[in-house]
Amino acid sequence: MKNLHPKILVVFVIAFTIYIYNTYDPMSFLQSSTIKKSVNIISNRLVGEATPSDRSTEMLQDRALILKIPPQEWVQARTTDVYHYLRLSIPTANAWNETKYLTKIKSYFAPRCNIVYTGIPKSGCTNWKFIILKHEGLFPAQQADPRVHYIINRLYLTRPHPDLSSKFSFTVLRNPWTRMVSGYRDKFGTARGLNWQKGRIGRKIIQMYRDSTSSSSSNTDDAINDAELPSHTFPGIPTFMEFLKYLAYSPLSEINVHFLPQYQILDLSHVRHDYIGALEYGKEQSEEILRYFESNVSVSLPGPYDSSSDPRLEKSTVTARNWLSQVDDALIERLYQRFKPDFMFFNYSNFTHSEFPLPLYFS
């Protein structure tokens, strides 16, 4: 190699670089659970050998120059790919009167704003319901709280609706990995979720996925190593591993809507949303969405719950990376395949990637 002429060597390096650039598929590579540990090494090298837990804000800001907020044209093209992957026909018109979610669960028509919103649990829906109610003049409080769910359900799920096929519709999605962890933390990892822990879903998960041969009544051998988690000595609380098995192996019809894959809630057979936002870019994209609201009220989306404005540094991201790295590869692969359409919408990064949880859009 050292006998090569310098110019020949330069040409070789350039040609090899072009080849790698044109053939490299980051999503298929990063999502392969069999190379999870290798990706960690590669990702760390991208940010100067730093580990995910000790990377500085300055490093992340430098790396952010590569990633851009995905334009809707790109998102809609990927949505078309989702339709093809699921072998669904793309609806020529939004048949809101036929979708079960408009009258049963998660889609709302706001008459003053003249918009339709589909709320995805654990994807920022509380804040968006709050914004809609404020624009409708129906929520006096200055910040979102659990009452928004009761109020918006009572007002907009029970009334007759006009033809909504031409109304502006939108939804907001989230990286499936952080959404899974957030769902568990909210419903099974806090005192606030006590009803869930003792309720039908918690009992069902334990009944179906707890190892009866475990030496512990709470299956702590299967628990995630995190000091902030409850000890799980109470036998009515599923472990995170049991929860993931519930998501991975239960029939979709038996999974609670809070944890259901997001594409299932969108009811793609009947409707295609005009705008699909990413929770990770909530503040920036909310400004675009609010332009479609036919309302004179000046209320913007609340900021993130976390003290960090960078999604890659938020506590939820760090927790998700920590917990999921302790899950065996076979279960990770099973979860990815089940939630694959959710990843496809935004080419979402894997939890081993340096840009997790952001969409991998390179302009």
Side-chain angles (χ1 to χ4, degrees), residues 126 129 139 143-153 192:
T126 300
K129 290 176 183 179
F139 197 76
Q143 61 184 15
D145 64 51
R147 291 178 299 165
V148 300
H149 304 293
Y150 171 77
I151 295 173
I152 202 166
N153 286 348
R192 183 175 56 184

Side-chain angles (χ1 to χ4, degrees), residues 93-107:
N94 285 338
W96 287 107
N97 59 316
E98 297 179 20
T99 177
K100 59 182 178 180
Y101 287 111
L102 185 64
T103 57
K104 184 180 179 183
I105 302 181
K106 296 299 173 190
S107 293

Side-chain angles (χ1 to χ4, degrees), residues 112 135 293-299:
R112 180 178 295 183
H135 278 266
F293 281 42
E294 297 180 12
S295 167
N296 296 323
V297 178
S298 178
V299 181

Side-chain angles (χ1 to χ4, degrees), residues 42-78:
I42 294 171
S43 298
N44 292 339
R45 287 176 179 168
L46 291 175
V47 289
E49 299 293 346
T51 60
S53 59
D54 65 11
R55 287 177 297 141
S56 68
T57 304
E58 290 74 23
M59 285 179 177
L60 290 173
Q61 288 174 342
D62 290 341
R63 291 282 295 141
L65 297 176
I66 297 176
L67 292 174
K68 304 291 184 182
I69 298 177
Q72 279 302 294
E73 295 79 8
W74 182 83
V75 178
Q76 291 297 337
R78 295 199 62 83

